[in-house]
Amino acid sequence: MLAIRAEPRTFNSLTVPDTTTEILASLTQAKLVRINRVTDELEPWLAESWTRSDDGLRYVVKLRPNASFSDGHPLTASDVVFSLAAAYAVRSVAITLEVDGKRLRAEATDPQTVTITFPATFAPGLRMLERLPVLPRHKLEATLSSGAIDKALNLATPPSELVGPGPFVLKEYLPGQRLVYGRNPHYWRRDAAGGQLPYLDRVIVEIVPDTNTQLLRLESGQTDMTTGEVPAESYASIKRAADANTLKLYDLGPGLNANALWFNLKPGSMGADPRAAWLQRDQLRQAISMAVDRKLFADTVYLGAGVPVFGPITPANKRWYWSGTPQTPHDPAAAKALLATIGLADRNGDGVLEDAGGKPAQFTLLTQKGRSPLERGVAVIRDELKKIGLVVDIAALDGGAMIQRIVASKYDAVYFNPTWSDTDPAASADFWLSSGSFHYWNAEQKTPATRWERQIDDLIVKQMHSIDEQERKRLFDSVQTIFAEHLPVVYFVAPHIFVAASTRVVNATPALWAGPQLLWSPDTVAVAR
Amino acid sequence: MLAYFARRLVFAVFLVFAVSSASLLLARLAPGDYASESLGLGARRETIDEARERLGLNRSIASQYRDWLVRAAHFDFGRSLQYDRPVSDLIPESAKNTAILALTALVVATLIGLPLGVITGKQQAGWAGGAGKAGRAGRAGGIIAGAIRSVSLVLLSLPPLLTSLFLVFAAAKTGLLPVGGMTSSVNGGTVGDLLSHMVVPVAALALPLVAMFERLQSQAMSETAGQPFVIATLARGVPLSRVIWRDALKNALRPVASVYGLVIGTLLSGSFAVETITAWPGLGQLMLTALRARDIYLVTGCAAAGSIFLAAGTLVSDAALAIVDPRTAER
């Protein structure tokens, strides 16, 4: 039994990419390939095996002969072809399944074989298809033809119509209360001893909006595991329960994501605001990185459970982290000296820096309301920057309001928690490329606005198209170095990730990836009787 | 009397219309929208624009409001943006759950708060005490009344949010009661199961009300004690307990009856905090979800349902007041 915070919006994981949908999809759906959340390796899943052509463009994928949907209908190559077509019909998903803006082609060679052709060499290869659920063509073909695939599998769909190749099937949905899943009788997977999976007969997902109540339910044995991270402020009580042997607490170490501070770097977006002269300069961000004491930050925001970071890739990403990334020392005096080089100095001795026109060096920092690590983080940033004479006004907004401001480039600075969808940088090219929509400090540029962004673009494109792993690592190390030198985004601390489960839960393999850390492989999770 | 109720009914209809309209306009005017909230950071501007176009969020506020008014006149409150279902399908179940919780809390608060108010009011009016045995009983009564007043003051100062947090914590630590939810997932659905889940949210809602009713009733009782009709009744030799529980109580109900409407309305329109903390699937929780997602039609639907409850509560309160004090309806 587990609990989720939000009511599901849909059962169609193609349309809503939120955590709740991801958790529920992990129970009922399956993909061609799976990224093992612990090893970070790509594993065959509904695909039994594959071969890649020498030029790296073509993949011939063999499906498992025993794979079927939960209604007993065999899962064939035509379902894979159909699923890709369905994904391309949903605009927001389509762009995540493109290489250089072009789509993949899938062709069913025979019922068990599908040939997937990439428009260009793409280093992560089939890893891209980890985002693609294999959908039942026999149930959804008419819906796709009518152009309504984004409306399919909604909350009004009867459970019997929610057909998937995952380990469980939805039996009952009580809005506002719970979802009850039963075992998929046609599930294809067996354990190493040949036993039928999943081990669990039933999974109950309770809807509990309040995180504290979720944790109290866990402590009192009314749920079996967390579906999200244990917040720093709840660590002590969960640790006590773990010490009393009523719970298992997992410290997964520093996470893959660190909260990020960035400024609006879109040229011209500040109009005639004279602050643009210093607000969009590299030196400001470098000074901020020097002014904030990362140890103090970790202690205050994460109660000590965090490690300092100086770039977007944290040490948790073992394959791609570059330990040689330039690091800014904690040095407020040097930060002040750096700010002086862009015309910010305390001209009237009031402790606040002023620009050349005598206006105080002041900016507004947006963050998301109601997220305690973000709210504590902006408070630390404000206090640390006050020490070097920068005035920070904090504005906490609802998520939607904040994102609207970011998309419209109507902000000074933002402190937020963007998360990676994959550890492989080529799969996150939208962040690194100046044309990317996830390049949030200056998104969707027609041509790179700066020389260093052009350099990163070139390196990422090369990295994305190379199939030499060592070459890819070398190229990406260079990307991280350039990024750390110009700091378009400032990172301070990667927090440790804690998750908890009842002591009766066995076989859980907690992983760092955001999403269901304990339930990413739900078919092998079991409970002791 | 009939004209009075007709006036109140017209006011109720206006209230529902005004609250629904205001909530739609405010939800629409607030920064951000469902498209940017649901697509998240990193969505392409073009994708967000397409979503806005598809959902009709790029239309002017006036045009959106006009369409909504026309549909609402036919009892069609639009489709929820996040659930893609008619709002009228989503509201009734949540409203029913809120009503179960709120009405139970109200009954509990009334049954406990009013008698406690009588006890403390009687003490304040000097109706307890005397010499010998009666004096000892009076002193004991004074201690009890003092204790009740102290507890009331504490409960009045505690918002339901804190009370529910404390009660959920106590339920988890003692294991005596379920921690949140409306029914158990295993062997749930019985009346006993429902009642056990109701204890925490009902207590969280009812405790501050108990205190409020006690304070109001106590004050009214002590004021009624000095009324000439009470003194005359006592002088005629009618037993004190009968005077208190029959004559004085009826007269002292007016202040409580006058706040009843607001209390009913507030409870029924959904207590956000209590429903969220105790995971009670009611109107408050639904509205909170809608607000977070910027689902403007669902927000409006929830606000409309809440205002219907508020209007109904006010009507019930007016009726109670008219019964307790018929002069009210004549004004």
Side-chain angles (χ1 to χ4, degrees), chain A residues 88-258:
Chain A
Y88 284 132
V90 180
R91 178 84 197 148
S92 56
V93 181
I95 56 168
T96 66
L97 293 166
E98 289 174 351
V99 178
D100 294 344
K102 297 190 188 98
R103 296 180 173 185
L104 277 59
R105 275 187 295 117
E107 190 187 343
T109 318
D110 64 54
Q112 299 307 126
T113 312
V114 60
T115 304
I116 295 169
T117 310
F118 282 71
T121 314
F122 183 62
L126 290 184
R127 202 173 165 103
M128 176 185 263
L129 298 184
E130 218 268 349
R131 301 169 196 171
L132 179 73
V134 177
L135 301 170
R137 180 182 168 185
H138 64 287
K139 287 280 180 189
L140 296 171
E141 192 167 26
T143 315
L144 178 63
S145 305
S146 65
I149 193 71
D150 56 339
K151 305 239 176 215
L153 311 177
N154 59 38
L155 298 186
T157 308
S160 60
E161 291 299 303
L162 298 170
V163 168
F168 297 96
V169 287
L170 181 66
K171 292 283 186 193
E172 187 184 19
Y173 167 44
L174 289 170
Q177 294 190 61
R178 70 180 63 89
L179 301 102
V180 180
Y181 291 86
R183 186 195 282 265
N184 171 4
H186 301 284
Y187 190 53
W188 53 276
R189 197 163 171 242
R190 292 177 179 272
D191 63 14
Q196 179 66 50
L197 293 173
Y199 290 128
L200 296 172
D201 294 323
R202 196 162 57 148
V203 174
I204 298 165
V205 182
E206 299 274 354
I207 299 162
V208 182
D210 184 63
T211 309
N212 292 317
T213 310
Q214 274 194 12
L215 293 173
L216 285 170
R217 284 178 71 99
L218 179 70
E219 281 186 61
S220 62
Q222 292 178 39
T223 51
D224 289 306
M225 61 172 68
T226 53
T227 49
E229 297 151 23
V230 173
E233 55 271 27
S234 303
Y235 172 81
S237 66
I238 298 294
K239 178 78 171 66
R240 275 196 298 275
D243 290 343
N245 215 25
T246 56
L247 285 181
K248 280 186 273 195
L249 175 66
Y250 301 92
D251 179 355
L252 308 181
L256 290 162
N257 301 294

Side-chain angles (χ1 to χ4, degrees), chain A residues 308-464:
Chain A
V309 286
F310 298 88
I313 306 301
T314 74
N317 189 344
K318 292 188 171 56
R319 191 167 161 210
W320 296 104
Y321 175 69
W322 167 229
S323 57
T325 302
Q327 302 188 353
T328 41
H330 173 53
D331 188 345
K336 264 185 126 164
L338 198 55
L339 291 175
T341 66
I342 53 171
L344 296 179
D346 185 3
R347 297 172 203 282
N348 57 10
D350 64 352
V352 174
L353 302 181
E354 285 90 23
D355 63 13
K359 294 233 168 79
Q362 186 167 3
F363 63 88
T364 303
L365 181 57
L366 302 185
T367 195
Q368 191 177 358
K369 191 160 59 180
R371 305 273 294 270
S372 52
L374 292 176
E375 288 175 337
R376 285 199 299 267
V378 287
V380 172
I381 292 168
R382 180 195 56 202
D383 296 347
E384 290 288 273
L385 297 192
K386 192 180 172 188
K387 292 177 190 166
I388 58 164
L390 289 172
V391 180
V392 180
D393 299 318
I394 294 170
L397 303 178
D398 282 333
M402 195 183 71
I403 288 164
Q404 195 176 46
R405 296 272 290 269
I406 296 169
V407 171
S409 296
K410 288 183 178 162
Y411 66 97
D412 294 343
V414 171
Y415 182 67
F416 191 50
N417 67 333
T419 54
W420 297 115
S421 56
D422 194 346
T423 51
D424 192 310
S428 309
D430 226 19
F431 172 84
W432 301 103
L433 294 176
S434 58
S435 57
S437 58
F438 210 57
H439 194 83
Y440 27 78
W441 56 96
N442 183 9
E444 300 182 54
Q445 299 172 41
K446 292 209 166 39
T447 52
T450 59
R451 205 162 60 86
W452 59 266
E453 280 176 302
R454 185 181 295 278
Q455 280 179 312
I456 290 183
D457 280 5
D458 292 344
L459 289 166
I460 286 290
V461 168
K462 272 188 204 153
Q463 202 264 3
M464 194 196 302

Side-chain angles (χ1 to χ4, degrees), chain B residues 172-238:
Chain B
K173 293 297 170 192
T174 59
L176 295 173
L177 290 165
V179 184
M182 189 171 164
T183 53
S184 299
S185 47
V186 181
N187 303 323
T190 61
V191 175
D193 179 57
L194 175 67
L195 288 175
S196 69
H197 281 82
M198 283 173 70
V199 173
V200 168
V202 164
L205 287 173
L207 285 174
L209 288 182
V210 166
M212 184 171 81
F213 289 164
E214 183 277 318
R215 290 285 74 214
L216 282 171
Q217 190 60 32
S218 175
Q219 184 65 26
M221 278 300 285
S222 65
E223 281 167 11
T224 306
Q227 297 281 322
F229 82 92
V230 175
I231 296 164
T233 311
L234 281 170
R236 280 203 301 275
V238 178

Side-chain angles (χ1 to χ4, degrees), chain B residues 81-250:
Chain B
L81 300 175
Q82 56 178 332
Y83 300 124
D84 194 24
R85 289 174 65 189
V87 167
S88 50
D89 282 3
L90 294 164
I91 302 270
E93 188 66 26
S94 300
K96 187 191 85 185
N97 295 340
T98 291
I100 292 172
L101 198 64
L103 293 176
T104 311
L106 193 68
V107 169
V108 168
T110 307
L111 290 178
I112 300 174
L114 291 190
L116 290 179
V118 172
I119 291 168
T120 51
K122 185 178 80 171
Q123 198 67 32
Q124 209 172 324
W127 276 346
K133 214 181 207 177
R136 281 198 296 279
R139 279 192 293 280
I143 292 166
I144 291 168
I148 293 171
R149 272 198 296 273
S150 306
V151 173
S152 284
L153 283 174
V154 172
L155 290 177
L156 268 179
S157 58
L158 279 177
L161 167 73
L162 276 183
T163 320
S164 48
L165 274 174
F166 170 75
L167 291 170
V168 164
F169 179 77
K173 293 297 170 192
T174 59
L176 295 173
L177 290 165
V179 184
M182 189 171 164
T183 53
S184 299
S185 47
V186 181
N187 303 323
T190 61
V191 175
D193 179 57
L194 175 67
L195 288 175
S196 69
H197 281 82
M198 283 173 70
V199 173
V200 168
V202 164
L205 287 173
L207 285 174
L209 288 182
V210 166
M212 184 171 81
F213 289 164
E214 183 277 318
R215 290 285 74 214
L216 282 171
Q217 190 60 32
S218 175
Q219 184 65 26
M221 278 300 285
S222 65
E223 281 167 11
T224 306
Q227 297 281 322
F229 82 92
V230 175
I231 296 164
T233 311
L234 281 170
R236 280 203 301 275
V238 178
L240 178 62
S241 61
R242 197 169 154 188
V243 173
I244 291 170
W245 292 102
R246 196 192 64 180
D247 304 313
L249 176 62
K250 188 183 169 193

